[in-house]
Amino acid sequence: SPDRTWQVVEEIRAEKDNIELVRRIGRRGLASAIAGGISLSRGEVIVWMDCDFSMPPEVIPRLVKALGDSYGIAIGSRYVEGGKDGRESFTRVLTSKLINLFACLILGFSIKDYTTGFVAVRREVFDQVNISERYEHGEYCIDFLYKAKRKGFKVKEIPYVCRPRRFGGTKTAPNILSLIRHGARYCLTVLKLRFHRG
């Protein structure tokens, strides 16, 4: 991120020894960043999320607790009872709902929020399912959740209210044409996962 977040992390790291800062110079893409973070993590449960406060940090303990003994993955979900997409852009909210409805129709309704990006995962899941680094944006989440489900891992959805972001701006859809382009990529990912052979 060009907003110099790394400097804030450096200041916090000077006071806490359990923080690892990763500066990616010359590398781009959300999926590769998440995969890189996972590879460097040491915990038995790995959590990732957007850090613009659209995903409330106070939900993290609920995600971790929801794993219990039988779930490999817990996700913050806008589309189960008690959840809500509270972003201010009607177009973005509608597009997200339509993409997730399409994903449910093609991949199954056992997951309601395929594009969440608010995820807690047991480490052992990554022994069988990886984050695909070929995606630049949120398609990776559809890919990961669907493949994990196919491998037999159970996914628990925890409702949360997605808030308007407090900091930063959208990188995936800053205008309507970009939103349409990204939406098409998400839908193409869904179709490839469902019908691709080999």
Side-chain angles (χ1 to χ4, degrees), residues 45-100:
V45 174
I46 296 108
V47 179
W48 64 88
M49 62 189 293
D50 291 352
C51 291
D52 55 13
F53 289 94
S54 60
M55 299 172 178
E58 58 267 25
V59 175
I60 294 173
R62 289 171 52 208
L63 291 178
V64 175
K65 184 178 180 181
L67 292 170
D69 296 324
S70 55
Y71 289 94
I73 302 169
I75 62 174
S77 178
R78 299 160 289 180
Y79 305 125
V80 293
E81 185 175 353
K84 180 182 178 184
D85 193 336
R87 292 176 294 176
E88 295 171 339
S89 169
F90 172 79
T91 305
R92 288 177 61 80
V93 171
L94 178 61
T95 302
S96 178
K97 287 182 177 179
L98 289 174
I99 290 170
N100 276 284

Side-chain angles (χ1 to χ4, degrees), residues 124-144:
E124 59 261 30
V125 173
F126 297 109
D127 293 336
Q128 298 187 51
V129 187
N130 293 319
I131 299 291
S132 176
E133 297 187 35
R134 72 174 180 270
Y135 301 111
E136 284 193 28
H137 301 292
E139 310 97 305
Y140 85 88
C141 197
I142 303 172
D143 181 281
F144 175 73

Side-chain angles (χ1 to χ4, degrees), residues 22 32-41 46:
V22 180
S32 66
I34 291 172
I38 291 167
S39 70
L40 293 171
S41 66
I46 296 108

